[in-house]
Amino acid sequence: MRTMISALALAAAAAGAVPASAQSAADADAFVASAEKELFAYSVDAGRIQWINNTYITEDTDALAAKSGAEGTELSVRLALEAAKFEKVAGLSADTKRKLDILRGGIVLPAPTTAGAATELNEIATRLNSTYGKGRGTLDGKPISGSDIEAEMGTNRDPARLQEMWASWHDNVGKPMRADYQRMVEIANKGAKELGYPDVGAMWRAQYDMPPAEFAKLTDRLWAQVKPLYDELHCYTRAKLNEKYGDAVQPETGPIRADLLGNMWAQEWGNIYDIVAPKGAGEIGYDIGELLQKRGDDPLKMVRIGEGFYSSLGFAPLPESFWQRSMFLKPADREVVCHASAWDIDNKDDLRIKMCIKVNSDDFVTIHHELGHNYYQRAYNKQPYLYLNGANDGFHEAIGDFVALSITPDYLVSIGLLDKAAVPSEDKDLGLLLRQAMDKVAFLPFGLLIDKWRWGVFSGSIPASAYNKAWTDLRLQYQGITPPVERSEANFDPGGKYHIPGNTPYARYFLARILQFQFYKAACEQAGWKGPLHRCSFYGNKEVGAKLNAMLEMGMSKPWPDALQAFTGKREIDGSAMLDYFAPLKTWLEGQNKRRQCGW
Ligand SMILES: [Zn+2]
């Protein structure tokens, strides 16, 4: 009899029929423990399948990835729905409460429980991802792959060809995704509602240890703090583009033409540094990509250099399996997703990166970024499954970038890449800062608007009939840029950016840009640095490494202000470190722009 009752209770629990009053805090603890076990096991298999799909795209691996993804969605939705019921139980421990929240809200694309919904959602998500991975633009009418077109946009200075690449990429890759994307939004929003969120965007914003509306306000506050710096950079860059291309291509006033900024999405502008570099002060005298090429360093060696930086802070070397299992180069004979990413397949030590590395300065920095993910993953690998994550997702993105800020000329000398005699003198600081700002500062409005668009799409304030217009409008409002060719609702330009078809929330990258300078300033203070902030390198400083590790090993176990405090001593995310770093540049830009009409 006894056995029968508990069997019935179990069946009822699986169907979600047991009222909360019948459950105790101990039941909640047991539920969380079993959920963690189940998710851990699933994640290892799913990780392997995703890895194969991303490094060998075929109909077969697409089908396997979609099936595994659907299973994962069903699993996480089931656990989320159960977690939602336990949250009302009295006497929950802080850890159990936190884990229940993570279970309820931690799904990027929640499927509703309707039969077939998880499958349909995952088929769409997989199709979108692969459409992007196999996407081609054209150059002189000939097909060109995603990674090649990205590189070409960085170096090509012919406005007609830039326009061709921009338009062909957005037309070929983005346009066909539109119907799928719209359907995906419908399904996932139903899933979010079942879990008690108004829509998917609100669910994403709920992941920051504060109410969703507060998080939106936080991003607005940070943007207001750094916008004056962006406005000066925009004004100066537009003037330089006008000098180079003339009024017909880039007028003196108004927005900047999006394809002229050295990047498909105009998200980082460092590739056109040669166009904006001020005479004299702007000649930094070296390019990391050229230094690497001159020394004959190959992609693998670049990764070794990145590993060396983390080793210098006291982190253990990467495991042998990292070198055997990572994908460092674009395979010649098959389709892969080249977009760089970092993986931890077994949640312990099976760390990998997936990149199509080219020997250039951008990829050198990207390697440090991806390795930052790997070292973070390994640092928190003793945490329970639901805490195997960054303090928030902005932290995860900031670690590698903060380390890369330490790639100063003096650091390049210390690893034998740059001659001591070639270190730029202090009068070249403006050039170094401008070069950095073209990437880091230029990115800020882009980092913010991707999710402003998606928050609007998910909430319905941007209707499907205005997907493209809303995108173009936000690009104008925040970035001050305009497409090189006429757009209409036949287009789906958001689809041309990986994170839209890839369904990766983007606010994390905006937060990371701000956080990395906050981390950097804290590290430099710990290292006793007294000079101008941008000249500091904490390479080789084990004390900084130990403090950093104290934050990393916490994973997601505590609210993010606790983690921030563990490393920086502060609990507020704040743009002032970034402003400090670029202060000399801002003064200089203001002088340059004095007689210009800024804004757009
Ligand atoms: Zn990343």
Side-chain angles (χ1 to χ4, degrees):
M1 193 63 199
R2 215 186 142 77
T3 326
M4 242 181 106
I5 288 169
S6 50
L8 275 176
L10 272 176
V18 173
S21 57
Q23 294 168 331
S24 67
D27 291 335
D29 294 344
F31 162 70
V32 165
S34 103
E36 290 200 291
K37 218 170 138 195
E38 207 174 344
L39 286 167
F40 190 106
Y42 168 78
S43 75
V44 176
D45 288 346
R48 294 207 171 99
I49 292 168
Q50 287 297 335
W51 175 267
I52 295 167
N53 182 223
N54 274 269
T55 56
Y56 204 143
I57 305 176
T58 67
E59 285 75 11
D60 294 327
T61 64
D62 273 1
L64 290 169
K67 179 165 174 280
S68 162
E71 285 162 10
T73 304
E74 274 166 9
L75 170 63
S76 47
V77 167
R78 171 166 61 78
L79 295 174
L81 287 166
E82 283 185 61
K85 291 188 192 100
F86 278 109
E87 284 194 286
K88 315 243 170 2
V89 170
L92 294 175
S93 72
D95 265 327
T96 297
K97 176 89 183 71
R98 184 168 180 78
K99 288 178 178 178
L100 290 172
D101 278 342
I102 294 171
L103 280 170
R104 185 169 74 98
I107 309 170
V108 174
L109 274 188
T113 46
T114 330
T119 305
E120 187 185 0
L121 188 61
N122 279 282
E123 278 168 5
I124 293 176
T126 303
R127 193 157 58 235
L128 288 170
N129 194 47
S130 294
T131 302
Y132 190 93
K134 292 186 279 197
R136 297 277 184 280
T138 67
L139 176 58
D140 296 323
K142 292 187 212 59
I144 174 169
S145 77
S147 58
D148 288 346
I149 204 170
E150 237 186 282
E152 189 65 31
M153 293 277 296
T155 51
N156 201 304
R157 300 288 180 256
D158 174 355
R161 289 197 169 89
L162 288 168
Q163 176 176 318
E164 180 198 352
M165 287 189 278
W166 191 99
S168 62
W169 179 259
H170 285 88
D171 289 351
N172 296 352
V173 179
K175 210 170 172 178
M177 295 177 184
R178 191 181 177 106
D180 265 347
Y181 198 84
Q182 188 182 341
R183 177 70 185 140
M184 187 195 77
V185 169
E186 280 169 28
I187 302 173
N189 266 342
K190 280 188 195 140
K193 283 204 178 72
E194 281 189 22
L195 292 167
Y197 299 90
D199 62 78
V200 173
M203 193 166 161
W204 288 5
R205 292 193 300 280
Q207 303 313 303
Y208 295 93
D209 297 306
M210 60 176 79
E214 288 301 307
F215 179 68
K217 271 190 225 152
L218 169 64
T219 58
D220 287 339
R221 173 172 69 75
L222 292 170
W223 170 235
Q225 205 178 359
V226 293
K227 184 176 187 297
L229 176 59
Y230 179 78
D231 287 350
E232 294 295 338
L233 185 68
H234 179 281
C235 191
Y236 173 79
T237 303
R238 182 179 60 193
K240 288 290 173 180
L241 288 170
N242 172 257
E243 274 172 34
K244 175 166 176 72
Y245 291 114
D247 292 344
V249 173
Q250 177 57 58
E252 243 180 308
T253 56
I256 298 175
R257 209 178 101 169
D259 55 332
L260 302 179
L261 288 159
N263 176 280
M264 179 63 79
W265 309 277
Q267 67 177 61
E268 284 163 330
W269 308 346
N271 285 332
I272 59 155
Y273 179 70
D274 58 311
I275 297 176
V276 303
K279 286 208 167 51
E283 288 143 27
I284 298 165
Y286 69 88
D287 170 84
I288 295 176
E290 283 166 18
L291 292 175
L292 291 163
Q293 281 165 14
K294 208 170 73 193
R295 199 167 72 171
D297 288 0
D298 59 7
L300 211 66
K301 172 72 183 168
M302 290 164 73
V303 183
R304 286 282 181 197
I305 297 173
E307 179 192 37
F309 197 109
Y310 291 88
S311 295
S312 87
L313 300 179
F315 291 90
L318 292 162
E320 200 43 44
S321 57
F322 171 89
W323 302 100
Q324 290 156 355
R325 297 172 192 173
S326 288
M327 184 185 96
F328 299 115
L329 301 173
K330 185 178 189 330
D333 57 350
R334 60 183 203 258
E335 300 286 354
V336 301
V337 179
C338 271
H339 187 90
S341 54
W343 301 60
D344 178 10
I345 299 285
D346 66 354
N347 301 317
K348 287 192 177 73
D349 213 30
D350 191 350
L351 307 167
R352 308 176 192 181
I353 60 171
K354 175 185 65 61
M355 279 184 75
C356 301
I357 301 175
K358 295 181 192 248
V359 182
N360 62 35
S361 172
D362 272 3
D363 280 5
F364 188 66
V365 171
T366 302
I367 287 166
H368 289 75
H369 174 91
E370 299 306 336
L371 291 183
H373 288 304
N374 280 154
Y375 284 97
Y376 206 165
Q377 286 161 339
R378 189 168 60 182
Y380 58 58
N381 70 4
K382 304 230 168 22
Q383 292 285 348
Y385 179 82
L386 289 168
Y387 293 158
L388 295 176
N389 220 328
N392 69 40
D393 51 11
F395 281 62
H396 228 305
E397 296 304 332
I399 301 305
D401 284 6
F402 130 75
V403 164
L405 285 175
S406 245
I407 304 176
T408 58
D410 286 338
Y411 164 68
L412 295 175
V413 171
S414 69
I415 59 165
L417 204 52
L418 185 67
D419 270 352
K420 203 166 175 57
V423 171
S425 53
E426 278 181 33
D427 62 326
K428 299 292 197 296
D429 273 12
L430 276 174
L432 286 162
L433 281 172
L434 180 59
R435 177 70 184 75
Q436 277 282 29
M438 293 292 281
D439 282 339
K440 305 276 184 185
V441 178
F443 178 81
L444 292 164
F446 182 80
L448 189 58
L449 76 84
I450 299 275
D451 277 356
K452 289 255 174 204
W453 183 81
R454 277 192 294 210
W455 294 347
V457 164
F458 284 122
S459 79
S461 72
I462 298 172
S465 59
Y467 276 171
N468 214 70
K469 181 180 185 303
W471 175 262
T472 307
D473 288 352
L474 284 166
R475 301 264 271 164
L476 178 63
Q477 182 192 340
Y478 284 94
Q479 288 183 282
I481 63 165
T482 187
V485 289
E486 198 62 41
R487 310 311 282 161
S488 77
E489 289 307 323
N491 300 108
F492 186 64
D493 293 339
K497 172 67 189 168
Y498 170 75
H499 300 72
I500 300 289
N503 284 302
T504 309
Y506 213 76
R508 63 186 59 169
Y509 299 105
F510 174 74
L511 294 182
R513 284 299 149 119
I514 308 272
L515 276 170
Q516 63 187 260
F517 287 94
Q518 206 172 344
F519 293 160
Y520 178 70
K521 190 176 176 187
C524 292
E525 279 169 3
Q526 286 160 26
W529 178 256
K530 295 278 180 275
L533 190 53
H534 60 275
R535 289 215 153 221
C536 154
S537 176
F538 50 87
Y539 176 70
N541 193 306
K542 301 251 177 336
E543 197 188 316
V544 168
K547 275 218 140 172
L548 174 60
N549 191 55
M551 173 172 82
L552 301 187
E553 68 185 8
M554 290 168 77
M556 206 189 190
S557 63
K558 293 282 179 306
W560 63 261
D562 292 9
L564 187 61
Q565 190 170 26
F567 182 42
T568 70
K570 308 243 163 62
R571 300 183 61 82
E572 292 279 327
I573 176 167
D574 175 19
S576 65
M578 187 174 199
L579 296 176
D580 278 1
Y581 184 97
F582 288 111
L585 176 71
K586 176 138 187 292
T587 307
W588 182 82
L589 286 172
E590 282 163 356
Q592 294 289 308
N593 292 332
K594 213 158 48 200
R595 276 176 294 279
R596 292 183 182 131
Q597 190 197 328
C598 292
W600 54 88

PDB file of all heavy atoms in Angstrom, residues 339-342 366 369-370 373 393 396-398 401 499 508-509, ligand 1:
ATOM      1  N   HIS A 339      32.339  31.072 -36.410  1.00  0.00           N
ATOM      2  CA  HIS A 339      32.220  32.046 -35.321  1.00  0.00           C
ATOM      3  C   HIS A 339      32.874  31.482 -34.051  1.00  0.00           C
ATOM      4  O   HIS A 339      32.531  30.389 -33.598  1.00  0.00           O
ATOM      5  CB  HIS A 339      30.746  32.374 -35.072  1.00  0.00           C
ATOM      6  CG  HIS A 339      30.563  33.482 -34.098  1.00  0.00           C
ATOM      7  ND1 HIS A 339      30.499  34.796 -34.493  1.00  0.00           N
ATOM      8  CD2 HIS A 339      30.479  33.490 -32.753  1.00  0.00           C
ATOM      9  CE1 HIS A 339      30.372  35.564 -33.429  1.00  0.00           C
ATOM     10  NE2 HIS A 339      30.350  34.798 -32.362  1.00  0.00           N
ATOM     11  N   ALA A 340      33.833  32.238 -33.491  1.00  0.00           N
ATOM     12  CA  ALA A 340      34.644  31.715 -32.388  1.00  0.00           C
ATOM     13  C   ALA A 340      33.794  31.413 -31.155  1.00  0.00           C
ATOM     14  O   ALA A 340      32.875  32.149 -30.826  1.00  0.00           O
ATOM     15  CB  ALA A 340      35.722  32.729 -32.017  1.00  0.00           C
ATOM     16  N   SER A 341      34.119  30.304 -30.477  1.00  0.00           N
ATOM     17  CA  SER A 341      33.416  29.968 -29.237  1.00  0.00           C
ATOM     18  C   SER A 341      34.316  29.102 -28.356  1.00  0.00           C
ATOM     19  O   SER A 341      35.294  28.520 -28.821  1.00  0.00           O
ATOM     20  CB  SER A 341      32.102  29.233 -29.545  1.00  0.00           C
ATOM     21  OG  SER A 341      32.337  28.110 -30.355  1.00  0.00           O
ATOM     22  N   ALA A 342      33.974  29.053 -27.073  1.00  0.00           N
ATOM     23  CA  ALA A 342      34.739  28.260 -26.104  1.00  0.00           C
ATOM     24  C   ALA A 342      33.805  27.225 -25.486  1.00  0.00           C
ATOM     25  O   ALA A 342      32.640  27.517 -25.237  1.00  0.00           O
ATOM     26  CB  ALA A 342      35.303  29.169 -25.014  1.00  0.00           C
ATOM     27  N   THR A 366      40.927  37.829 -29.973  1.00  0.00           N
ATOM     28  CA  THR A 366      39.818  36.868 -29.803  1.00  0.00           C
ATOM     29  C   THR A 366      40.272  35.612 -29.065  1.00  0.00           C
ATOM     30  O   THR A 366      39.536  35.060 -28.251  1.00  0.00           O
ATOM     31  CB  THR A 366      39.210  36.499 -31.172  1.00  0.00           C
ATOM     32  OG1 THR A 366      38.756  37.704 -31.796  1.00  0.00           O
ATOM     33  CG2 THR A 366      38.037  35.547 -31.030  1.00  0.00           C
ATOM     34  N   HIS A 369      40.178  36.244 -25.562  1.00  0.00           N
ATOM     35  CA  HIS A 369      38.768  36.281 -25.141  1.00  0.00           C
ATOM     36  C   HIS A 369      38.226  34.869 -24.907  1.00  0.00           C
ATOM     37  O   HIS A 369      37.669  34.567 -23.858  1.00  0.00           O
ATOM     38  CB  HIS A 369      37.932  36.998 -26.216  1.00  0.00           C
ATOM     39  CG  HIS A 369      36.462  36.954 -25.947  1.00  0.00           C
ATOM     40  ND1 HIS A 369      35.809  37.929 -25.244  1.00  0.00           N
ATOM     41  CD2 HIS A 369      35.528  36.018 -26.252  1.00  0.00           C
ATOM     42  CE1 HIS A 369      34.529  37.613 -25.125  1.00  0.00           C
ATOM     43  NE2 HIS A 369      34.327  36.461 -25.745  1.00  0.00           N
ATOM     44  N   GLU A 370      38.401  34.005 -25.887  1.00  0.00           N
ATOM     45  CA  GLU A 370      37.857  32.644 -25.766  1.00  0.00           C
ATOM     46  C   GLU A 370      38.519  31.885 -24.618  1.00  0.00           C
ATOM     47  O   GLU A 370      37.852  31.155 -23.885  1.00  0.00           O
ATOM     48  CB  GLU A 370      38.014  31.877 -27.083  1.00  0.00           C
ATOM     49  CG  GLU A 370      37.276  32.490 -28.277  1.00  0.00           C
ATOM     50  CD  GLU A 370      35.781  32.723 -28.049  1.00  0.00           C
ATOM     51  OE1 GLU A 370      35.187  32.029 -27.194  1.00  0.00           O
ATOM     52  OE2 GLU A 370      35.224  33.626 -28.693  1.00  0.00           O
ATOM     53  N   HIS A 373      36.949  32.435 -21.280  1.00  0.00           N
ATOM     54  CA  HIS A 373      35.816  31.545 -20.991  1.00  0.00           C
ATOM     55  C   HIS A 373      36.313  30.213 -20.425  1.00  0.00           C
ATOM     56  O   HIS A 373      35.802  29.701 -19.440  1.00  0.00           O
ATOM     57  CB  HIS A 373      35.021  31.242 -22.270  1.00  0.00           C
ATOM     58  CG  HIS A 373      34.210  32.390 -22.789  1.00  0.00           C
ATOM     59  ND1 HIS A 373      33.277  33.054 -22.036  1.00  0.00           N
ATOM     60  CD2 HIS A 373      34.176  32.995 -24.009  1.00  0.00           C
ATOM     61  CE1 HIS A 373      32.699  34.005 -22.766  1.00  0.00           C
ATOM     62  NE2 HIS A 373      33.233  33.991 -23.970  1.00  0.00           N
ATOM     63  N   ASP A 393      26.177  36.699 -17.180  1.00  0.00           N
ATOM     64  CA  ASP A 393      26.825  36.352 -18.456  1.00  0.00           C
ATOM     65  C   ASP A 393      27.776  37.448 -18.945  1.00  0.00           C
ATOM     66  O   ASP A 393      28.685  37.182 -19.726  1.00  0.00           O
ATOM     67  CB  ASP A 393      25.795  35.953 -19.518  1.00  0.00           C
ATOM     68  CG  ASP A 393      24.664  36.967 -19.666  1.00  0.00           C
ATOM     69  OD1 ASP A 393      24.779  38.077 -19.102  1.00  0.00           O
ATOM     70  OD2 ASP A 393      23.669  36.641 -20.341  1.00  0.00           O
ATOM     71  N   HIS A 396      31.232  36.534 -17.799  1.00  0.00           N
ATOM     72  CA  HIS A 396      31.874  35.499 -18.610  1.00  0.00           C
ATOM     73  C   HIS A 396      32.538  36.109 -19.838  1.00  0.00           C
ATOM     74  O   HIS A 396      33.634  35.724 -20.241  1.00  0.00           O
ATOM     75  CB  HIS A 396      30.856  34.428 -19.029  1.00  0.00           C
ATOM     76  CG  HIS A 396      31.347  33.033 -18.788  1.00  0.00           C
ATOM     77  ND1 HIS A 396      32.530  32.579 -19.310  1.00  0.00           N
ATOM     78  CD2 HIS A 396      30.832  32.006 -18.068  1.00  0.00           C
ATOM     79  CE1 HIS A 396      32.710  31.318 -18.928  1.00  0.00           C
ATOM     80  NE2 HIS A 396      31.695  30.948 -18.173  1.00  0.00           N
ATOM     81  N   GLU A 397      31.870  37.090 -20.435  1.00  0.00           N
ATOM     82  CA  GLU A 397      32.421  37.720 -21.642  1.00  0.00           C
ATOM     83  C   GLU A 397      33.563  38.684 -21.323  1.00  0.00           C
ATOM     84  O   GLU A 397      34.371  39.012 -22.191  1.00  0.00           O
ATOM     85  CB  GLU A 397      31.315  38.459 -22.400  1.00  0.00           C
ATOM     86  CG  GLU A 397      30.215  37.553 -22.943  1.00  0.00           C
ATOM     87  CD  GLU A 397      30.746  36.461 -23.846  1.00  0.00           C
ATOM     88  OE1 GLU A 397      31.802  36.658 -24.482  1.00  0.00           O
ATOM     89  OE2 GLU A 397      30.115  35.389 -23.911  1.00  0.00           O
ATOM     90  N   ALA A 398      33.614  39.187 -20.088  1.00  0.00           N
ATOM     91  CA  ALA A 398      34.583  40.242 -19.760  1.00  0.00           C
ATOM     92  C   ALA A 398      35.970  39.714 -19.414  1.00  0.00           C
ATOM     93  O   ALA A 398      36.962  40.437 -19.565  1.00  0.00           O
ATOM     94  CB  ALA A 398      34.061  41.085 -18.597  1.00  0.00           C
ATOM     95  N   ASP A 401      38.622  39.581 -22.271  1.00  0.00           N
ATOM     96  CA  ASP A 401      38.860  40.924 -22.793  1.00  0.00           C
ATOM     97  C   ASP A 401      39.664  41.767 -21.820  1.00  0.00           C
ATOM     98  O   ASP A 401      40.516  42.564 -22.214  1.00  0.00           O
ATOM     99  CB  ASP A 401      37.526  41.634 -23.084  1.00  0.00           C
ATOM    100  CG  ASP A 401      36.881  41.130 -24.358  1.00  0.00           C
ATOM    101  OD1 ASP A 401      37.399  40.161 -24.938  1.00  0.00           O
ATOM    102  OD2 ASP A 401      35.856  41.699 -24.772  1.00  0.00           O
ATOM    103  N   HIS A 499      24.423  36.381 -33.725  1.00  0.00           N
ATOM    104  CA  HIS A 499      23.727  36.151 -32.452  1.00  0.00           C
ATOM    105  C   HIS A 499      22.205  36.179 -32.569  1.00  0.00           C
ATOM    106  O   HIS A 499      21.515  35.755 -31.657  1.00  0.00           O
ATOM    107  CB  HIS A 499      24.204  37.160 -31.422  1.00  0.00           C
ATOM    108  CG  HIS A 499      25.678  37.063 -31.170  1.00  0.00           C
ATOM    109  ND1 HIS A 499      26.609  37.491 -32.097  1.00  0.00           N
ATOM    110  CD2 HIS A 499      26.384  36.557 -30.134  1.00  0.00           C
ATOM    111  CE1 HIS A 499      27.823  37.252 -31.634  1.00  0.00           C
ATOM    112  NE2 HIS A 499      27.721  36.700 -30.450  1.00  0.00           N
ATOM    113  N   ARG A 508      24.915  40.841 -22.538  1.00  0.00           N
ATOM    114  CA  ARG A 508      26.151  40.411 -21.888  1.00  0.00           C
ATOM    115  C   ARG A 508      27.384  41.094 -22.486  1.00  0.00           C
ATOM    116  O   ARG A 508      28.327  41.412 -21.769  1.00  0.00           O
ATOM    117  CB  ARG A 508      26.299  38.891 -22.026  1.00  0.00           C
ATOM    118  CG  ARG A 508      26.436  38.415 -23.456  1.00  0.00           C
ATOM    119  CD  ARG A 508      26.444  36.897 -23.586  1.00  0.00           C
ATOM    120  NE  ARG A 508      25.233  36.285 -23.051  1.00  0.00           N
ATOM    121  CZ  ARG A 508      24.906  35.008 -23.243  1.00  0.00           C
ATOM    122  NH1 ARG A 508      25.714  34.212 -23.925  1.00  0.00           N
ATOM    123  NH2 ARG A 508      23.793  34.526 -22.750  1.00  0.00           N
ATOM    124  N   TYR A 509      27.372  41.323 -23.798  1.00  0.00           N
ATOM    125  CA  TYR A 509      28.560  41.906 -24.435  1.00  0.00           C
ATOM    126  C   TYR A 509      28.672  43.391 -24.106  1.00  0.00           C
ATOM    127  O   TYR A 509      29.758  43.940 -23.985  1.00  0.00           O
ATOM    128  CB  TYR A 509      28.531  41.688 -25.948  1.00  0.00           C
ATOM    129  CG  TYR A 509      28.526  40.226 -26.316  1.00  0.00           C
ATOM    130  CD1 TYR A 509      27.373  39.594 -26.772  1.00  0.00           C
ATOM    131  CD2 TYR A 509      29.675  39.454 -26.168  1.00  0.00           C
ATOM    132  CE1 TYR A 509      27.359  38.249 -27.090  1.00  0.00           C
ATOM    133  CE2 TYR A 509      29.676  38.108 -26.481  1.00  0.00           C
ATOM    134  CZ  TYR A 509      28.510  37.506 -26.944  1.00  0.00           C
ATOM    135  OH  TYR A 509      28.497  36.169 -27.239  1.00  0.00           O
TER     136      TYR A 509
HETATM  137 ZN    ZN B   1      32.618  35.176 -25.628  1.00  0.00          ZN
END
